[in-house]
C-alpha cells in the first residue's frame, strides 16, 4: 500500500516493445544498446542488427545467417524497414517494383474498358507475387520480366513523362505559392492604402466643413464623396485590366487517348455517336411511308386542328408503335436464357417435364 492508500503493483510496468527487440544473430537486445538499428534485405526480409550486417557482409556477398534461408545477400541491399510489419513492407516493395514496370497511365488507352482491363491484369500479377503459390509466383515473375523486356522503350518513355509531370507540378505549385504571396502583399498594400485614403477623406471633409458657407455643408460633402467614388471606379478598372493581361491559365485536362482515325476520316463530317447507326433497319419510317398508315382515329387527328395545334403528331405515334412491334425481331430468347438452378432432384425433373399447358 502507498501512503495515500492506493495499492501499487509488485511488478513494474511492461517494457516498451522496442526494448524487447533482439537481434536473432548476435542475440543483442535494445535494452543493452539503445542505438541498435535493425536492417532488412528485400531478398528474404530477415531482420538483423546493423552491426551483424556490417560484420557478415562487409567483405562481399554472403549467405543469410538464418538457418532456413539460403539466399545470397549483399551489403548494399540492406535497408531500414519503414513498416513494423515486415509482411506489409514486402508487399509495398513488390507493388512498387510492379508499378515501375507497368507504368502506363489512362492517356495511353483509347477506351476506359481497355484501361480497366490493364489495371485488373496488373493487380492480379501483384496479388500472385504477394500471396500466390510457388507456381503462381514463378509465372507472375516470368510475366513481369517478359513485359519489362518487350516494353522497355515504353517504360523508359513513361518514366521520363512522369518526371516531366512531377517537374511541371512542382513548378505550378511554386507559381501558386508565389502568386499567393503576391496577393497577400497586394492585400496588405490595399489595406494600408484604404486606411490612408479614409484618413485623407476625413481631413478633406473637415476642411470642407470648416471653409464651406453656412447651409452649404451638405453640398461640400457630396462633392468629396463623388470624387472618391470616381477614384475607386478608376482603380477597380485598372486592377481588372491588369489581372486580365497578366493572368495565366493552369488548367490541365487528363483522360483517355484520342481514338485513332482511319485514312480519309478527316474529310468526313463530325459524328458525335462514333459511327453508331441509329436508323431503324427492319421497317421504313420515312415520312412518305408513315402517311400510308391509316386508321379511323389517326385520320381524325390528321384532319382536325384541335389535335395538331397542341403539338400532337400522328406520325410520331405510328413510328413508336412500329418500333415497339419490331424491336424483338432477331432476338432469340432461348440463346439468352440461362439455365436455372433448382434446389432438389424432384424440382429438376419437374422443370424438365413442365409444359406451357397447365391443364
Amino acid at each position: 500500500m502507498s501512503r495515500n492508500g492506493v495499492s501499487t503493483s509488485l511488478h513494474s510496468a511492461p517494457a516498451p516493445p522496442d526494448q524487447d527487440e533482439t537481434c536473432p544473430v548476435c542475440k543483442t537486445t535494445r535494452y543493452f544498446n539503445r542505438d541498435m538499428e535493425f536492417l532488412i534485405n528485400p531478398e528474404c526480409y530477415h531482420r538483423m542488427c546493423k552491426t551483424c550486417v556490417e560484420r557478415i557482409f562487409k567483405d562481399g556477398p554472403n549467405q543469410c545467417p538464418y538457418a532456413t534461408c539460403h539466399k545470397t545477400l549483399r551489403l548494399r541491399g540492406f535497408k531500414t524497414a519503414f513498416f513494423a510489419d515486415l509482411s506489409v513492407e514486402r508487399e509495398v516493395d513488390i507493388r512498387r517494383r510492379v508499378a515501375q514496370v507497368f507504368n502506363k497511365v489512362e492517356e495511353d488507352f483509347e477506351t476506359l474498358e481497355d484501361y480497366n482491363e490493364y489495371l485488373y491484369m496488373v493487380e492480379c500479377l501483384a496479388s500472385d507475387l504477394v500471396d500466390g503459390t510457388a507456381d503462381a509466383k514463378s509465372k507472375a515473375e516470368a510475366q513481369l520480366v517478359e513485359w519489362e523486356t518487350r516494353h522497355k522503350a515504353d517504360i523508359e518513355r513513361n518514366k521520363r513523362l512522369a518526371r516531366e509531370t512531377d517537374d511541371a507540378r512542382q513548378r505550378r505549385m511554386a507559381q501558386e505559392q508565389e502568386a499567393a504571396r503576391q496577393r497577400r502583399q497586394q492585400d496588405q498594400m490595399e489595406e494600408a492604402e484604404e486606411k490612408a485614403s479614409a484618413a485623407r477623406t476625413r481631413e478633406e471633409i473637415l476642411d470642407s466643413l470648416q471653409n464651406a458657407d453656412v447651409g452649404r455643408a451638405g453640398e461640400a460633402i457630396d462633392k468629396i464623396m463623388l470624387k472618391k467614388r470616381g477614384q475607386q471606379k478608376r482603380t477597380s478598372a485598372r486592377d481588372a485590366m491588369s489581372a486580365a493581361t497578366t493572368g495565366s491559365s493552369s488548367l490541365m485536362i487528363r483522360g483517355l487517348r484520342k481514338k485513332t482515325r482511319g485514312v480519309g476520316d478527316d474529310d468526313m463530317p463530325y459524328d458525335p455517336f462514333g459511327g453508331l447507326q441509329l436508323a431503324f433497319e427492319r421497317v421504313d419510317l420515312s415520312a412518305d411511308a408513315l402517311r400510308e398508315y391509316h386508321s379511323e382515329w389517326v385520320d381524325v387527328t390528321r384532319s382536325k386542328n384541335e389535335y395538331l395545334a397542341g403539338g400532337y403528331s400522328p406520325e410520331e405515334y405510328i413510328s413508336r408503335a412500329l418500333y415497339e412491334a419490331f424491336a424483338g425481331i432477331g432476338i432469340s430468347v432461348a440463346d439468352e436464357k440461362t439455365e436455372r438452378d433448382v434446389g432438389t432432384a424432384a424440382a429438376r425433373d419437374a422443370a424438365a417435364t413442365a409444359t406451357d399447358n397447365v391443364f
Side-chain angles (χ1 to χ4, degrees):
M1 296 289 291
S2 62
R3 292 183 179 180
N4 55 5
V6 180
S7 62
T8 58
S9 176
L10 297 177
H11 302 283
S12 60
D18 57 352
Q19 292 187 5
D20 295 335
E21 293 182 354
T22 304
C23 176
V25 180
C26 63
K27 307 303 180 182
T28 303
T29 62
R30 194 183 293 274
Y31 179 80
F32 296 102
N33 185 6
R34 301 294 299 178
D35 298 331
M36 186 171 61
E37 180 181 358
F38 287 93
L39 301 178
I40 61 171
N41 195 302
E43 291 292 334
C44 59
Y45 290 93
H46 288 147
R47 189 179 59 171
M48 61 192 76
C49 67
K50 186 176 181 180
T51 304
C52 292
V53 171
E54 294 177 350
R55 175 174 54 84
I56 298 174
F57 303 97
K58 182 178 181 180
D59 297 332
N62 204 340
Q63 186 176 349
C64 179
Y66 277 69
T68 58
C69 183
H70 304 286
K71 296 290 185 65
T72 300
L73 309 180
R74 292 172 174 80
L75 180 62
R76 63 181 181 180
F78 284 88
K79 66 174 184 176
T80 303
F82 184 82
F83 298 95
D85 190 349
L86 294 182
S87 61
V88 177
E89 184 79 20
R90 173 177 171 271
E91 181 175 355
V92 170
D93 290 342
I94 292 175
R95 291 187 176 276
R96 185 181 293 114
R97 179 192 171 196
V98 172
Q100 290 177 354
V101 176
F102 293 89
N103 56 357
K104 288 187 176 182
V105 293
E106 188 176 359
E107 290 87 344
D108 296 330
F109 300 88
E110 294 184 356
T111 63
L112 185 60
E113 183 179 0
D114 295 338
Y115 181 53
N116 290 334
E117 290 180 356
Y118 171 79
L119 295 179
Y120 179 73
M121 183 263 294
V122 174
E123 180 60 29
C124 291
L125 187 141
S127 179
D128 290 340
L129 290 175
V130 174
D131 299 320
T133 60
D135 189 17
K137 288 181 180 179
S138 61
K139 290 182 179 179
E141 185 69 27
Q143 182 181 358
L144 182 65
V145 174
E146 181 184 2
W147 182 279
E148 185 176 7
T149 304
R150 287 193 304 158
H151 302 83
K152 188 174 182 179
D154 295 337
I155 293 172
E156 294 299 329
R157 177 181 60 85
N158 292 333
K159 288 182 179 179
R160 184 178 66 256
L161 293 177
R163 288 193 296 268
E164 293 176 357
T165 303
D166 293 338
D167 295 340
R169 182 171 60 252
Q170 292 177 359
R171 288 195 299 269
R172 186 176 70 254
M173 293 176 61
Q175 293 176 359
E176 291 176 354
Q177 293 176 357
E178 179 64 20
R181 187 189 65 81
Q182 293 180 0
R183 286 195 300 269
R184 290 194 299 269
Q185 185 177 1
Q186 183 68 21
D187 293 340
Q188 294 175 357
M189 295 175 59
E190 290 179 356
E191 184 179 359
E193 182 64 25
E194 288 179 359
K195 291 181 179 180
S197 177
R200 289 194 300 269
T201 303
R202 184 172 179 274
E203 292 178 358
E204 291 178 1
I205 292 175
L206 293 177
D207 293 340
S208 299
L209 292 176
Q210 184 178 1
N211 299 327
D213 298 335
V214 178
R216 308 292 296 273
E219 296 179 1
I221 295 176
D222 291 340
K223 290 181 180 179
I224 295 174
M225 299 305 296
L226 182 62
K227 179 181 178 181
K228 182 179 179 181
R229 284 194 294 269
Q231 292 177 352
Q232 290 178 350
K233 289 182 179 180
R234 288 193 296 270
T235 303
S236 300
R238 185 172 61 252
D239 294 342
M241 184 178 297
S242 176
T245 55
T246 59
S248 60
S249 175
S250 60
L251 179 64
M252 297 180 62
I253 300 177
R254 302 184 62 184
L256 296 172
R257 184 178 61 184
K258 293 183 178 180
K259 293 185 178 181
T260 56
R261 306 181 66 180
V263 179
D265 290 347
D266 294 335
D267 300 333
M268 301 296 293
Y270 172 72
D271 184 7
F273 298 102
L276 179 64
Q277 299 294 332
L278 300 178
F280 200 68
E281 300 178 353
R282 300 188 181 278
V283 65
D284 187 6
L285 297 180
S286 61
D288 296 336
L290 293 177
R291 282 194 289 267
E292 299 297 329
Y293 291 93
H294 299 279
S295 69
E296 180 179 356
W297 66 272
V298 170
D299 293 338
V300 172
T301 57
R302 286 173 174 170
S303 59
K304 290 189 176 182
N305 293 331
E306 52 264 29
Y307 294 103
L308 301 177
Y312 181 78
S313 174
E315 286 73 16
E316 181 68 23
Y317 163 75
I318 297 173
S319 300
R320 182 173 179 179
L322 291 173
Y323 179 82
E324 293 177 353
F326 288 90
I329 296 180
I331 299 176
S332 177
V333 179
D335 295 339
E336 297 189 358
K337 185 170 62 175
T338 59
E339 183 178 357
R340 294 179 297 176
D341 295 333
V342 292
T344 62
R348 188 181 301 107
D349 296 339
T353 58
T355 59
D356 294 336
N357 187 4
V358 296
F359 301 102

